[in-house]
Amino acid sequence: MVNAGKVKAKVTHNEVNGGIEGLLKRLGGLEKRALYVGVPKSTAMKRDGGESEITNAELLYVHTHGVRKVAMRKAMTKMMKSGSTYSEAYQMYLHSNGSALYAVPPRPVIGPALKAHRKEIGKGFQRIYNAAADGNEAALKTAINWTGMKAQNACRDWFYDARNGWPKNAPRTIKVKGSERPLIDSGNLRNSIIYVVREE
């Protein structure tokens, strides 16, 4: 049996980057930054320079939700003018007329594209948190831009992604465009989707 006796040890405490309080402050600072993907209103110029034409932001909204048939729009407008909210008018129309028919079916981009690429984009957010935790501002900026670019490209690539499930163009649209692929023409709408980082 060995008697080691008393062991003396000196314990020191080294606080790096403000310790726990500094870490919480750095991570809390992320709340002031927001990463958006879409067509910002401030950059949503009129398409082809026309004054009365729809912007790319408005066009993306229309394609996300589709365009209801004229008869349905008129019926719902009448109901909304009488005091119903949009959702109430929509429900009343469905109960009276059955399933809604679209002149242009919904072809959403942003939500489904981000969902389909969430694992890869999630890795970017992990890089953002790690850089913030380390207090490395240069790495943080790089990680935010990398993540924004991944999200932007996921949305742009969605136009060609077989998983988008978009209905083909209607026969009359195919005659005009010469293609059954929806939303693929000049690339104007697709290329208008960008990422933006804002301090809030």
Side-chain angles (χ1 to χ4, degrees), residues 150-187:
K150 285 289 179 189
Q152 171 186 298
N153 290 339
C155 293
R156 288 183 177 187
D157 292 346
W158 195 246
F159 286 73
Y160 296 98
D161 196 313
R163 295 173 293 172
N164 67 31
W166 293 344
K168 295 177 181 177
N169 285 333
R172 67 179 181 224
T173 306
I174 294 171
K175 283 182 184 178
V176 173
K177 286 181 64 175
S179 170
E180 63 180 20
R181 297 193 84 173
L183 305 187
I184 303 296
D185 195 7
S186 67

Side-chain angles (χ1 to χ4, degrees), residues 4-196:
K6 293 182 180 179
V7 176
K8 292 184 178 180
K10 183 178 181 183
V11 177
T12 60
H13 173 74
N14 294 324
E15 193 171 279
V16 179
N17 290 337
I20 294 294
E21 285 184 22
L23 173 64
L24 294 175
K25 185 176 180 182
R26 288 190 300 278
L27 291 177
L30 290 177
E31 292 179 358
K32 297 177 183 175
R33 293 182 183 177
L35 176 61
Y36 296 99
V37 180
V39 183
K41 188 176 180 182
S42 60
T43 64
M45 306 296 284
K46 296 289 183 183
R47 292 167 55 83
D48 303 322
E51 296 218 1
S52 61
E53 290 190 40
I54 191 170
T55 67
N56 280 318
E58 293 163 339
L59 184 62
L60 188 61
Y61 178 87
V62 167
H63 282 298
T64 296
H65 299 283
V67 178
R68 313 249 184 228
K69 294 270 188 186
V70 174
M72 181 179 186
R73 292 199 311 264
K74 285 182 179 177
M76 287 181 60
T77 299
K78 185 177 179 182
M79 287 181 237
M80 287 169 23
K81 283 183 178 177
S82 70
S84 296
T85 63
Y86 179 85
S87 62
E88 289 171 344
Y90 179 65
Q91 289 174 33
M92 285 189 287
Y93 182 89
L94 289 180
H95 289 304
S96 302
N97 300 283
S99 179
L101 299 175
Y102 289 97
V104 177
R107 295 181 176 111
V109 178
I110 307 293
L114 295 179
K115 185 176 181 181
H117 293 89
R118 66 186 174 275
K119 286 185 181 177
E120 187 175 359
I121 295 167
K123 290 176 186 175
F125 281 104
Q126 186 62 53
R127 289 175 61 183
I128 291 170
Y129 291 126
N130 289 342
D134 291 342
N136 187 334
E137 190 62 33
L140 177 60
K141 186 175 181 180
T142 299
I144 290 172
N145 289 330
W146 185 90
T147 306
M149 189 61 71
K150 285 289 179 189
Q152 171 186 298
N153 290 339
C155 293
R156 288 183 177 187
D157 292 346
W158 195 246
F159 286 73
Y160 296 98
D161 196 313
R163 295 173 293 172
N164 67 31
W166 293 344
K168 295 177 181 177
N169 285 333
R172 67 179 181 224
T173 306
I174 294 171
K175 283 182 184 178
V176 173
K177 286 181 64 175
S179 170
E180 63 180 20
R181 297 193 84 173
L183 305 187
I184 303 296
D185 195 7
S186 67
N188 191 323
L189 177 62
R190 179 181 174 272
N191 293 333
S192 71
I193 297 173
I194 62 171
Y195 79 93
V196 176

